[in-house]
Amino acid sequence: MSGFLGSYLHQIDEKGRLNLPAPFRREHPDRPLVLVHVFENALTLYPEPAWAEVEGRLRELLRLQPQARSYVLSVTANAVEVVPDKQGRILVPPRLQEAVGIRGVALVVGAIDRIELWDPERFEASVPARSEDFDRFTHQIFA
């Protein structure tokens, strides 16, 4: 099976290291990932293939809309490459933890082709168990 699924609560240690859930590192335990803050309440962790697609879209945006340079710089300035260590831990810089309100414990959420890191309380407030569109989307995908 491919893709990132499920959610896991993991402690960020005093050095800023987060242990990635075993299912998320099963296929490529030591490959670099890109950690970036682009969505308001979460950090996004992209494996190489997914980040390559994002980079391509950023290049295309610059080609078509040169005025987007500031936007692209703000994205890339807030991105960091991380490589899991032998224990499967990545370093989450303090400035990125602070940007999304992560304090000690992170909710690590599979988002199909990427992983999101959330403060658990912000996740509960932002992603309710069932929104008003839940049934409509369920029927579009699973029916």
Side-chain angles (χ1 to χ4, degrees):
M1 183 178 301
S2 62
F4 300 106
L5 305 172
S7 60
Y8 307 84
L9 277 174
H10 279 259
Q11 186 74 31
I12 295 181
D13 70 17
E14 67 282 348
K15 295 180 180 177
R17 296 175 301 192
L18 171 74
N19 196 343
L20 290 175
F24 291 177
R25 52 190 157 100
R26 188 174 299 135
E27 287 186 40
H28 306 288
D30 56 355
R31 274 207 180 151
L33 303 145
V34 174
L35 181 63
V36 65
H37 179 217
V38 289
F39 298 108
E40 183 179 0
N41 288 315
L43 301 176
T44 308
L45 195 55
Y46 290 91
E48 284 179 304
W51 181 251
E53 291 177 20
V54 171
E55 278 187 340
R57 290 192 299 268
L58 289 170
R59 278 191 212 94
E60 187 68 5
L61 178 64
L62 283 174
R63 189 181 73 73
L64 297 173
Q65 299 180 52
Q67 67 274 22
R69 184 173 186 274
S70 294
Y71 170 76
V72 172
L73 285 174
S74 72
V75 169
T76 57
N78 285 305
V80 61
E81 185 177 286
V82 294
V83 179
D85 65 13
K86 299 275 188 223
Q87 289 79 35
R89 298 173 301 192
I90 60 165
L91 183 63
V92 181
R95 68 182 169 81
L96 292 179
Q97 291 178 51
E98 291 168 14
V100 297
I102 294 174
R103 291 175 194 86
V105 176
L107 183 66
V108 184
V109 180
I112 305 169
D113 66 340
R114 65 198 73 170
I115 300 164
E116 293 189 5
L117 307 180
W118 287 79
D119 167 74
E121 291 177 10
R122 286 191 185 187
F123 182 84
E124 290 299 321
S126 298
V127 185
R130 285 203 180 257
S131 69
E132 58 188 52
D133 291 325
F134 192 88
D135 288 335
R136 180 172 56 96
F137 294 142
T138 297
H139 288 290
Q140 285 179 0
I141 302 299
F142 295 102

